[in-house]
Amino acid sequence: RPPGVSRDLLIIQSRSQSHTRTIAAQIGSALQPGDIIALIGPLGAGKTQFVKGLAAGAGVADLRKVTSPSFVIINQYAGRVTIYHVDAYRLGGPGELAALGFEELCESGAAVVIEWADRVSQLLPAQHLVIRIEIIGRCRRLMHCYGYGPAAGRLIRAAGAA
């Protein structure tokens, strides 16, 4: 945890992909420019499904465009809040993401969501929301939400309303 930054915690159980999207949509409805969300979890955990729900809650009109940016690294979605969707899976480490302008993305006035954020955690700003998705069954997931700072606390409260 960054020094001097408070931390909030919430654990939510999702029963299905659609429930994961509903939880994420609640967070997306509270999303504001500058919010940073770090997603962590194994392959198949539902990180991209989470981003689809987040985008829906943030007013992205065409959810078919919300796909994993594994090969392009960064996707951009326009909604009530612009979202940059970053996938760090294929990156060699934090230096590669830094070279792609990650700091500028975080300061752009858009919200930023990073899949495989554990691979680049050194670059995360002090205030951010971490969501660690744990597979506990074929369709069930536990989402461990750790919020650092007041903006992340706002997003956790929105998640708790789902």
Side-chain angles (χ1 to χ4, degrees):
R1 170 169 83 201
V5 176
S6 64
R7 183 174 94 171
D8 293 302
L9 170 65
L10 175 67
I11 299 174
I12 304 170
Q13 183 172 325
S14 171
R15 301 175 300 275
S16 65
Q17 277 189 1
S18 65
H19 190 213
T20 294
R21 287 191 302 270
T22 298
I23 294 164
Q26 284 295 119
I27 296 171
S29 69
L31 203 62
Q32 294 182 7
D35 287 342
I36 310 296
I37 300 175
L39 299 176
I40 300 170
L43 284 170
K47 295 180 293 294
T48 302
Q49 290 300 316
F50 183 92
V51 178
K52 281 184 185 282
L54 186 78
V60 172
D62 189 356
L63 296 179
R64 293 172 299 172
K65 294 184 179 183
V66 180
T67 60
S68 177
S70 291
F71 294 99
V72 295
I73 311 301
I74 302 171
N75 283 340
Q76 179 179 351
Y77 314 122
R80 178 184 51 76
V81 176
T82 297
I83 298 173
Y84 286 110
H85 180 191
V86 178
D87 189 325
Y89 184 74
R90 298 194 180 282
L91 296 178
E96 285 186 30
L97 184 57
L100 291 171
F102 181 70
E103 184 176 341
E104 290 81 7
L105 287 181
C106 292
E107 295 172 355
S108 70
V112 179
V113 59
I114 309 108
E115 292 191 40
W116 300 98
D118 48 329
R119 296 175 181 232
V120 294
S121 60
Q122 303 91 320
L123 296 179
L124 293 173
Q127 296 196 40
H128 63 278
L129 173 63
V130 174
I131 300 176
R132 181 177 303 275
I133 303 173
E134 177 186 355
I135 299 171
I136 59 170
R138 190 172 72 77
C139 296
R140 292 177 36 235
R141 305 291 186 262
L142 275 184
M143 290 185 265
H144 304 262
C145 305
Y146 303 91
Y148 300 96
R154 170 179 34 80
L155 297 175
I156 283 183
R157 286 187 297 281

